[in-house]
Amino acid sequence: MALSKKTLINMYETMNKIRLFELRLQELFAASEIPGFVHLYLGEEAVATGACAALTDNDMITSTHRGHGHLLAKGGDLKLMMAEIFGKKTGYCKGKGGSMHIADLDLGILGANGIVGGGGPLAAGAALAAKYRKNNDVAMCFFGDGASNQGTTQESLNLASAWKLPLVFVNENNGYGISCPQCKSMAVVDIADRAAAYDMPGVVVDGNDVLAVYEAISEAVKRARKGEGPSLVECKTYRWRGHFEGDACTYRCVEELEEWKAKDPIPRFESKLIENKTFTKDEAEKIKAQIEKAVDEAVVYAKESPMPSASALMDDVYA
Amino acid sequence: MSEKTYLQALNEALRQEMERDENVFILGEDVGQFGGCFGVTQGLFDQFGCDRVMDTPITESVIVGAATGAAACGLRPVAELMFVDFIGVSMDQLFNQAAKMRYMFGGKTTVPMTLRAPQGAGIGAAAQHSQCLESWFMNIPGLKVAIPSTPYDAKGLLISAIRDDNPVVFLEHKMLYGVTGEVPDESYTIEIGKADIKREGSDVTIVATSQMVYAALEAAEKLKADGINAEVVDPRCVLPLDKETILESVKKTHALVVVHEAVQFSGPGAEIAAIVAEEAIDYLDAPIKRVGAPFCPVPFSPPLEQHYIPGVKNIIEAVKSIR
């Protein structure tokens, strides 16, 4: 798949945006500056980046509790996200949602979701709306290996295939459902094998290779747009951090983490881009420095923003 | 204006809304050719086709969730559960997704979804197909809950529910589908959250919902012989609850009996009683009485089932104990 320089650089920017944003969250959380829970996406940047690169703003995604990567890849704004995570009035959801419930329907983000497996039925609804309107849009459901065992996911896979909905199921298999390794929660090695039960294509890709992800997802998106129904793309990746910040991670060994860190998707992609002369090492560093600056600005914006006032408590319970 | 059954009234509401707004569609189990579990969607499949009357697999989570997702994307789905008892299967999609979406997203979306579900005992359907669960939904901010008793109310409230920009749980009583009443042929709305005084009276307020409205009216007729003139207030919706009408009535009659088929303990009547106790206790000259189902699952055997369902006798006893 020949991609334009602009697309490749956009992907590189997106991956770094996710990485640097989350590294900053890690620090801020450790410094007790962020309320609530934070589930970091570090190490999985290639999945959201490659998948969302195949979509337009009109295509809807449903995200997960580990959703910052999806939201940024779909075009989410650093400042508004940071402010929301800080619980500020200026955040994406006026401080009402926090890390797990960021949404921006204008960008096609039908919300991150605190319920494992919660997004499948909603994505089926978004795909149904696209089919109903015949507008050629698709929906995409991000879900993890843990969520792949939920009844809601099976129901959504089944409905999508029975009704040929324009829906792409993106499974981010990071090896662990909270503390439970995949081998203990299911007998299958490849979650993509489950696609056969619903008579849809199921493919496995290296989730740390952004171009492999992009290629597989693009194929699935093309199928969906043509009215050929849903697909399941399993992206094998790894979660660098614990399930949540503060998780002691006693359930896995350091060697395993190191092994995966050696497969870090960002340097891998960067070498490729330098090799094919998309950019130079200096240009790559410049991109990272610019993003670092933007993250700094987002933190300042979030910190300087006001908290929601008590009078906002009852706003938006009803339309 | 003509005489129609509760079922016809609901069917007419669906048809007129689907004719009016192409964003309105129906999804659920057996809603298509079959015409709905109790026949509410009869004829709609023939008129609107499978693209707007969608037979789903028997998978309640994705029925409620897909309706929620489609609603957030700007459509107006009307999902049907065959029986309200199946809400347990799909509860997460209703109470963690549909009900909270707007609030969690800081007002960024609306969820104009209607979830229709028959409830109630009386047909020997046993414990998993006979419950009245409105108090489950009443405790969830973000939802609205309609529970009409008459054909007229059923049509007007269903049209309002479909047009409402919030998720509305629309509870039909399966024993009421055949009940007849005057229903205008044209489309009309009834404000969601507006009670209706079904019978005026001066001596006691009986707040009753759904099928119990009929039992309350019958009890009121019988109480006339004892010189007790009962007022029957039908909230028509339990969320939002029209407490003003209830309080006004109690201030006039100075006594309150709350009646519903849902289990009495922690049932919807508990909230109504608490509101009146908090806001109008000085007007009461007797304790508040509640009439509801006993604290047990709905039994199968017909005589036992009849014993389970609150009736005219229980209402008369409750009124006489305070009047």
Side-chain angles (χ1 to χ4, degrees):
Chain A
M1 198 177 284
L3 290 171
S4 70
K5 180 175 170 173
K6 188 168 172 276
T7 305
L8 292 167
I9 289 177
N10 273 348
M11 284 185 183
Y12 182 77
E13 282 174 350
T14 300
M15 285 168 87
N16 279 290
K17 204 186 272 187
I18 299 167
R19 172 69 51 95
L20 296 170
F21 181 82
E22 290 232 314
L23 285 172
R24 189 63 59 85
L25 286 183
Q26 192 184 318
E27 286 169 27
L28 290 162
F29 188 87
S32 305
E33 297 211 55
I34 297 175
F37 306 137
V38 177
H39 307 86
L40 296 183
Y41 194 70
L42 291 165
E44 304 179 35
E45 295 87 348
V47 181
T49 303
C52 290
L55 301 177
T56 71
D57 278 358
N58 294 331
D59 297 319
M60 284 280 173
I61 65 163
T62 59
S63 170
T64 68
H65 62 280
R66 199 174 306 288
H68 306 148
H70 312 141
L71 310 176
L72 287 168
K74 197 71 173 64
D77 180 275
L78 285 170
K79 283 182 177 167
L80 300 185
M81 279 183 62
M82 193 63 89
E84 186 60 34
I85 291 165
F86 270 75
K88 297 298 179 78
K89 183 182 168 176
T90 54
Y92 256 121
C93 310
K94 302 178 194 166
K96 294 281 185 62
S99 162
M100 285 191 287
H101 306 299
I102 291 172
D104 185 347
L105 279 87
D106 294 338
L107 291 173
I109 300 167
L110 192 49
N113 205 312
I115 305 295
V116 169
L122 303 174
L128 178 59
K131 188 181 176 188
Y132 192 89
R133 292 196 172 116
K134 302 182 175 72
N135 61 10
N136 223 26
D137 294 342
V138 304
M140 181 175 280
C141 170
F142 286 101
F143 68 113
D145 45 299
S148 76
N149 297 323
Q150 284 278 32
T152 44
T153 303
Q154 304 310 313
E155 290 189 24
S156 307
L157 285 160
N158 181 65
L159 189 81
S161 68
W163 288 4
K164 276 206 169 359
L165 297 178
L167 180 50
V168 179
F169 291 92
V170 182
N171 177 247
E172 308 186 291
N173 187 347
N174 67 16
Y176 290 85
I178 309 177
S179 68
C180 189
Q182 187 196 338
C183 62
K184 282 191 182 168
S185 68
M186 62 187 96
V188 292
V189 174
D190 291 334
I191 290 166
D193 287 352
R194 292 175 169 176
Y198 302 104
D199 194 27
M200 68 172 80
V203 296
V204 178
V205 293
D206 176 353
N208 282 26
D209 177 348
V210 69
L211 294 175
V213 173
Y214 175 76
E215 201 163 323
I217 299 281
S218 296
E219 206 48 50
V221 168
K222 206 188 302 172
R223 262 179 57 82
R225 285 205 212 282
K226 280 199 296 202
E228 291 170 11
S231 310
L232 169 55
V233 179
E234 178 186 359
C235 306
K236 305 257 193 206
T237 182
Y238 196 79
R239 190 183 81 200
W240 284 9
R241 304 288 298 165
H243 169 61
F244 56 92
E245 285 309 280
D247 176 359
C249 248
T250 51
Y251 45 85
R252 61 184 198 188
C253 60
V254 178
E255 293 77 12
E256 184 182 82
L257 174 61
E258 291 313 316
E259 194 184 310
W260 275 93
K261 279 197 167 175
K263 295 187 267 190
D264 184 341
I266 297 179
R268 270 174 79 182
F269 188 47
E270 186 181 298
S271 328
K272 217 177 259 181
L273 295 185
I274 292 169
E275 204 176 304
N276 70 13
K277 306 219 176 348
T278 303
F279 58 27
T280 62
K281 180 75 183 160
D282 281 354
E283 284 167 329
E285 291 307 318
K286 249 187 225 135
I287 288 170
K288 283 196 271 204
Q290 274 167 349
I291 293 167
E292 195 70 72
K293 194 163 154 279
V295 172
D296 288 343
E297 284 165 8
V299 175
V300 171
Y301 176 79
K303 286 187 176 176
E304 286 178 353
S305 288
M307 283 292 183
S309 61
S311 65
L313 178 68
M314 299 302 291
D315 292 349
D316 300 319
V317 177
Y318 292 98
Chain B
M1 195 76 124
S2 56
E3 191 82 4
K4 289 174 191 135
T5 63
Y6 187 94
L7 187 135
Q8 287 168 322
L10 292 166
N11 181 272
E12 206 164 78
L14 291 168
R15 194 177 66 248
Q16 289 175 351
E17 281 305 282
M18 288 177 80
E19 284 168 349
R20 187 189 65 85
D21 180 354
E22 61 177 19
N23 287 326
V24 177
F25 70 95
I26 292 172
L27 74 165
E29 293 151 14
D30 308 321
V31 294
Q33 200 72 66
F34 191 80
C37 181
F38 287 91
V40 174
T41 58
Q42 269 166 26
L44 299 176
F45 179 84
D46 292 337
Q47 184 177 345
F48 299 102
C50 61
D51 290 342
R52 293 186 69 196
V53 183
M54 307 174 188
D55 271 325
T56 62
I58 305 172
T59 48
E60 285 82 7
S61 284
V62 81
I63 293 170
V64 177
T68 302
C73 292
L75 298 181
R76 290 191 180 271
V78 184
E80 175 178 309
L81 285 180
M82 293 173 73
F83 294 84
V84 78
D85 315 67
F86 304 167
I87 193 63
V89 179
S90 49
M91 200 63 177
D92 181 71
Q93 291 297 319
L94 182 69
F95 89 108
N96 272 326
Q97 313 296 343
K100 295 176 172 56
M101 214 177 237
R102 179 177 174 80
Y103 188 83
M104 290 191 310
F105 297 175
K108 280 213 164 51
T109 185
T110 56
V111 185
M113 183 263 275
T114 306
L115 179 64
R116 293 181 38 248
Q119 61 170 11
I123 62 166
Q128 296 173 345
H129 292 74
S130 303
Q131 296 161 92
C132 287
L133 297 179
E134 60 269 26
S135 63
W136 283 27
F137 308 117
M138 283 170 76
N139 201 237
I140 303 167
L143 295 180
K144 292 186 178 184
V145 184
I147 182 165
S149 63
T150 66
Y152 177 85
D153 292 350
K155 180 175 173 181
L157 280 171
L158 183 52
I159 290 173
S160 294
I162 293 169
R163 294 182 191 181
D164 198 286
D165 279 340
N166 301 282
V168 182
V169 179
F170 194 91
L171 300 169
E172 300 155 11
H173 199 294
K174 56 179 80 81
M175 295 301 288
L176 292 179
Y177 284 130
V179 166
T180 57
E182 286 291 314
V183 179
D185 295 330
E186 67 275 10
S187 179
Y188 61 94
T189 57
I190 291 171
E191 190 187 335
I192 288 184
K194 192 88 197 72
D196 183 42
I197 296 172
K198 292 284 192 262
R199 182 186 195 277
E200 296 219 342
S202 52
D203 303 331
V204 60
T205 297
I206 304 174
V207 174
T209 51
S210 191
Q211 192 188 203
M212 288 300 121
V213 170
Y214 297 90
L217 289 169
E218 199 181 318
E221 281 309 302
K222 292 202 159 106
L223 286 162
K224 260 203 323 208
D226 299 305
I228 299 168
N229 185 10
E231 176 145 302
V232 177
V233 178
D234 176 1
R236 297 196 289 195
C237 295
V238 285
L239 182 64
L241 183 71
D242 181 355
K243 65 177 194 179
E244 289 72 21
T245 300
I246 295 167
L247 289 167
E248 224 168 284
S249 175
V250 167
K251 286 172 184 177
K252 179 175 72 171
T253 65
H254 308 294
L256 174 66
V257 174
V258 188
V259 190
H260 50 68
E261 193 190 308
V263 170
Q264 182 179 314
F265 183 86
S266 195
E271 181 60 34
I272 295 167
I275 289 170
V276 171
E278 278 182 329
E279 299 188 40
I281 200 158
D282 295 342
Y283 292 88
L284 292 171
D285 46 28
I288 297 166
K289 288 286 168 189
R290 286 181 293 151
V291 176
F295 201 68
C296 68
V298 182
F300 164 67
S301 177
L304 267 188
E305 184 181 35
Q306 284 312 310
H307 196 69
Y308 169 93
I309 303 168
V312 177
K313 194 165 128 292
N314 310 88
I315 300 169
I316 291 173
E317 273 170 17
V319 170
K320 286 197 169 169
S321 73
I322 56 171
R323 277 292 178 232

